[in-house]
Amino acid sequence: PNIPVIIGGDFNGNASTQGTEREFAALYAKTGLRDVCELMATSQRTTFQYFDDKGQELAMQLDYLFIEPGEHLNYEFTEGGVLNFMDYR
């Protein structure tokens, strides 16, 4: 049956199509799932920032939302991205 598949979460690694870490290779090889950020073609993908031992800020996407594009999903991305968290305490 045409049942939409949506998977999201904190994957703790690079699960994008660019530089995919090997534990995520099967995600693309065995499924039709696509990262929503890639489908939106957004440049804002950072969901995790940290500083290395030299004080260099590093930004990564660790949180993903994967969907299976197809006729059973009726969607059109008009805009979107990652909302940056600001701690205003």
Side-chain angles (χ1 to χ4, degrees):
N2 286 332
I3 300 171
V5 174
I6 301 172
I7 299 173
D10 180 349
F11 286 78
N12 286 331
N14 183 0
S16 72
T17 58
Q18 301 298 312
T20 309
E21 292 179 359
R22 66 182 179 166
E23 61 265 36
F24 304 109
L27 179 75
Y28 295 106
K30 297 182 179 184
T31 75
L33 295 173
R34 299 279 310 278
D35 175 20
V36 169
C37 284
E38 290 184 7
L39 292 172
M40 288 187 303
T42 182
S43 61
Q44 172 51 291
R45 301 173 66 123
T46 300
T47 63
F48 179 73
Q49 293 173 296
Y50 67 99
F51 295 87
D52 67 12
D53 58 350
K54 296 175 183 157
Q56 178 78 28
E57 182 180 4
L58 302 170
M60 301 176 69
Q61 179 186 3
L62 297 180
D63 301 287
Y64 293 85
L65 181 63
F66 292 99
I67 65 172
E68 185 177 29
E71 296 174 9
H72 55 280
L73 290 179
N74 185 14
Y75 61 86
E76 178 180 338
F77 293 114
T78 56
E79 66 178 281
V82 175
L83 178 63
N84 286 327
F85 171 76
M86 299 296 242
D87 187 352
Y88 292 105
R89 290 184 271 166

